[in-house]
Amino acid sequence: MAEVINMPRLSDTMEEGTVAKWLKNVGDKVEEGDILAEIETDKATMEFESFYEGTLLHIGIAEGDGAPVDSLLAILGEEGEDISSLLNGGNANAAEEESADEASEPESDSSESSDDTTASAEVPEGVEIVKMPRLSDTMEEGTVAAWLKNVGDTVEEGDILAEIETDKATMEFESFYSGVLLYIGIKEGESSPVDAVLAVIGPEGTDVDAVLNAKPSSGKKESSSSEAKKEAPKKEEAKESAASKPVADGQRIFVSPLAKKIAKEKGIDLSNVSGSGDNGRIVKKDVESYKPAAVAQAPKAASQAAAPASAPVILPVGEESSEEVKNSQMRKTIAKRLSESKFTAPHYYLTIEVDMGNAMASRKQINELPDTKVSFNDMVVKACAMALKKHPQVNTTWNGDTTRYNHHVHVGVAVAVDEGLVVPVVKFTEQLSLTQIGSAVKDLAGRARNKKLTPAEMDGSTFTVSNLGMFGITEFTSIINQPNSAILSVGAIVQKPVVKDGQIVVGNTMKVTLACDHRTVDGATGAQFLLTLRAYLENPVTMLA
């Protein structure tokens, strides 16, 4: 069903609004929360968001045109929906309201004259009564979610007074006046209808009770002469323009609220900024790209010579840039397989710390042999293969209705390449010596980086080892390389104080983390596997027996 959106009343004194810019066109899809248009009120230019979803079927007020509050602004609905009845109904309603207004004019005149006779006081000059605003076209009452100012606080134009909850959303309500917050009419959590007294702002020491009991001047006493009626709004507008709106050479500066906020944070004088928006309006990009002039103007320098001004904060500016690179087939495969693993296998992680003192000494002795080169990663791979033979539950594959126990051990070794990650497989690892494992891993890793591996050399793993210790990573977790049930993450060897025989000594430790698929490997099973692995690494001679 189509939804009619009327011109909202975005401030407590707003009688009509001007559409500064439409951000959606007829036919565009609109989501709840999308900015429909920028609307210029009597106080500021504000973004107006949609509270409905659908297709923009009709725009009732063109850019640059003004219309009274509650005028037809737009219609949202389903694509192709007939809205002629809404358009005709809106025109009929407008005509009825106009005729009703004309019929009631004499009565209102008489009531005005009676009001004049009973009015005993007026709101003092400089004091402003802030009323509950209508922040959406269907809002009948509002709830104060939070006050951001307290009675006695100084309020500047543009400061956020409160957060107001409407029937659609919770929105920040900013002050259009400067002064002291003298009175709060609606407490936090309380609700009141639109136009109820929300707050009073004015000079410190003002008699608030007198202000609340006074009858605000609305131009009734000027009704004796048509010239006086026209003159009062002009004076009020001139006063407001001088007091609350940015001016440049006596002219109002049109600026979006966001641009105004950024300029205030950066200390930028908006009178020096050129606007690129409609009608010279200053927008966000104008403020962000603004560069102060290198040489100050002579008249300003002369007038400010007596009072030294603080240097403006110059923040870095630049051009945002990006590029899109097409994903390689390898990158797509990695993303697909790891996503399937992470979202189908219930991962959990177990971490243990290993004393690598004996492993370092053993590796040094082994590498002193001619034509022999063994790395710590080779020792980890060998220890994993032997631990898997003792804990076959970790060397399994989940098949839904069955669990496959692998009696052979094929250890996959993760290797980083330019386009991602590959996992060549060392077949029958439990039958290989340390030197054989070292040679096999070196050969497979080299051919992986040169893209010379065959599919058969990357298939069939029953367990995987991923080592980032060479990059200084001390601890991390990995995603299981399915159809494996577990993967071991190996960190760097770190020198740090450890306790041995009740004494603090310098030790060399390494953290390893086992990621397990809880469908096949229970916590106790994973923990026992890690204890066996640590025993092999802390006593490498046992791997040679």
Side-chain angles (χ1 to χ4, degrees):
M1 180 179 177
E3 296 286 352
V4 176
I5 300 175
N6 295 327
M7 172 67 76
R9 185 149 68 89
L10 299 174
S11 76
D12 55 313
T13 59
M14 176 178 170
E15 297 298 333
E16 70 173 39
T18 300
V19 177
K21 184 176 182 181
W22 278 101
L23 302 181
K24 296 288 185 180
N25 299 316
V26 172
D28 287 356
K29 295 291 184 183
V30 178
E31 299 292 335
E32 182 180 353
D34 284 356
I35 304 301
L36 274 181
E38 294 177 355
I39 296 179
E40 183 181 343
T41 73
D42 57 334
K43 304 294 184 183
T45 300
M46 305 175 69
E47 294 178 337
F48 177 61
E49 67 180 47
S50 172
F51 299 105
Y52 308 105
E53 295 181 356
T55 301
L56 183 56
L57 303 176
H58 175 74
I59 289 178
I61 305 171
E63 284 188 6
D65 289 350
V69 170
D70 288 334
S71 299
L72 176 62
L73 180 65
I75 298 178
L76 289 180
E78 297 180 1
E79 190 171 357
E81 186 174 353
D82 183 10
I83 59 172
S84 57
S85 60
L86 296 175
L87 295 174
N88 295 334
N91 295 336
N93 290 340
E96 289 175 7
E97 289 176 5
E98 186 176 348
S99 61
D101 289 343
E102 291 175 356
S104 61
E105 275 181 7
E107 183 179 346
S108 63
D109 289 340
S110 62
S111 63
E112 284 176 5
S113 60
S114 62
D115 284 345
D116 289 339
T117 60
T118 58
S120 58
E122 294 181 355
V123 176
E125 185 176 355
V127 178
E128 300 290 348
I129 297 178
V130 182
K131 296 182 179 180
M132 173 66 76
R134 185 149 70 90
L135 299 174
S136 77
D137 55 314
T138 59
M139 177 179 170
E140 297 297 334
E141 69 174 14
T143 301
V144 177
W147 278 102
L148 303 183
K149 295 288 185 180
N150 298 316
V151 173
D153 288 354
T154 299
V155 178
E156 298 293 336
E157 181 198 356
D159 286 354
I160 304 300
L161 273 182
E163 294 178 355
I164 296 179
E165 183 180 347
T166 73
D167 56 335
K168 303 294 184 181
T170 300
M171 306 173 69
E172 293 180 338
F173 177 62
E174 67 180 49
S175 172
F176 299 105
Y177 311 106
S178 297
V180 176
L181 182 57
L182 304 172
Y183 172 77
I184 288 178
I186 306 171
K187 296 183 174 60
E188 287 188 5
E190 292 184 353
S191 301
S192 287
V194 171
D195 286 335
V197 176
L198 181 67
V200 176
I201 296 176
E204 191 171 1
T206 301
D207 185 353
V208 177
D209 291 335
V211 171
L212 295 175
N213 294 328
K215 294 187 177 181
S217 173
S218 56
K220 296 172 185 175
K221 292 190 176 181
E222 291 88 355
S223 58
S224 59
S225 121
S226 60
E227 293 181 0
K229 278 187 177 179
K230 295 178 182 178
E231 193 173 329
K234 289 182 181 178
K235 290 182 179 179
E236 181 65 25
E237 183 178 349
K239 181 181 75 172
E240 183 183 302
S241 175
S244 64
K245 301 190 178 185
V247 295
D249 299 329
Q251 299 296 322
R252 174 182 171 186
I253 298 176
F254 289 92
V255 55
S256 73
L258 180 57
K260 182 179 179 182
K261 179 180 178 184
I262 295 174
K264 184 176 180 181
E265 292 174 351
K266 292 187 175 183
I268 296 175
D269 184 356
L270 288 171
S271 63
N272 297 327
V273 181
S274 298
S276 61
D278 296 337
N279 302 318
R281 184 166 175 258
I282 299 172
V283 295
K284 175 184 174 184
K285 67 178 182 179
D286 299 325
V287 178
E288 291 182 336
S289 61
Y290 170 71
K291 295 181 180 178
V295 181
Q297 296 178 3
K300 288 187 178 180
S303 63
Q304 296 176 359
S310 59
V313 178
I314 301 176
L315 298 176
V317 294
E319 182 180 353
E320 294 181 355
S321 63
S322 62
E323 63 174 332
E324 290 195 12
V325 178
K326 188 176 181 180
N327 291 325
S328 65
Q329 195 59 41
M330 177 184 290
R331 193 77 255 170
K332 292 178 182 178
T333 302
I334 291 171
K336 180 181 178 182
R337 292 194 60 190
L338 293 185
S339 296
E340 289 174 351
S341 175
K342 188 66 176 176
F343 299 136
T344 59
H347 286 55
Y348 72 93
Y349 306 95
L350 302 171
T351 301
I352 199 168
E353 195 168 26
V354 181
D355 183 353
M356 295 296 287
N358 290 336
M360 294 175 70
S362 298
R363 175 175 177 265
K364 182 179 180 181
Q365 291 179 348
I366 294 172
N367 286 344
E368 287 177 353
L369 298 173
D371 301 324
T372 304
K373 186 70 173 178
V374 173
S375 68
F376 289 114
N377 192 65
D378 300 333
M379 299 177 79
V380 172
V381 171
K382 176 64 175 177
C384 287
M386 297 183 67
L388 288 169
K389 295 300 290 183
K390 289 195 173 184
H391 303 279
Q393 189 76 35
V394 184
N395 198 43
T396 55
T397 299
W398 174 262
N399 287 328
D401 293 333
T402 63
T403 297
R404 184 174 72 235
Y405 283 77
N406 300 299
H407 300 301
H408 58 280
V409 176
H410 292 349
V411 178
V413 180
V415 176
V417 296
D418 291 340
E419 295 183 3
L421 188 73
V422 294
V423 185
V425 181
V426 180
K427 304 290 179 68
F428 304 105
T429 317
E430 80 280 13
Q431 301 178 23
L432 301 178
S433 65
L434 282 172
T435 54
Q436 289 173 323
I437 290 174
S439 299
V441 170
K442 183 178 179 181
D443 173 61
L444 290 169
R447 288 192 289 119
R449 295 186 182 98
N450 294 326
K451 300 182 180 180
K452 300 293 184 181
L453 286 178
T454 64
E457 290 172 320
M458 295 184 287
D459 189 38
S461 65
T462 62
F463 186 85
T464 306
V465 173
S466 179
N467 192 338
L468 292 179
M470 68 286 293
F471 298 107
I473 304 300
T474 57
E475 183 180 359
F476 68 103
T477 60
S478 302
I479 298 175
I480 296 170
N481 179 33
Q482 288 190 340
N484 301 173
S485 288
I487 183 172
L488 187 75
S489 305
V490 183
I493 297 174
V494 178
Q495 193 174 65
K496 69 175 189 177
V498 297
V499 178
K500 287 187 177 180
D501 301 325
Q503 302 292 322
I504 299 178
V505 297
V506 177
N508 293 278
T509 64
M510 178 180 73
K511 287 185 178 181
V512 293
T513 300
L514 185 69
C516 303
D517 184 343
H518 217 317
R519 297 174 299 180
T520 53
V521 182
D522 294 328
T525 304
Q528 291 166 1
F529 171 84
L530 285 178
L531 291 176
T532 302
L533 177 69
R534 181 169 67 179
Y536 281 129
L537 290 174
E538 290 184 347
N539 300 281
V541 67
T542 58
M543 292 190 289
L544 305 176

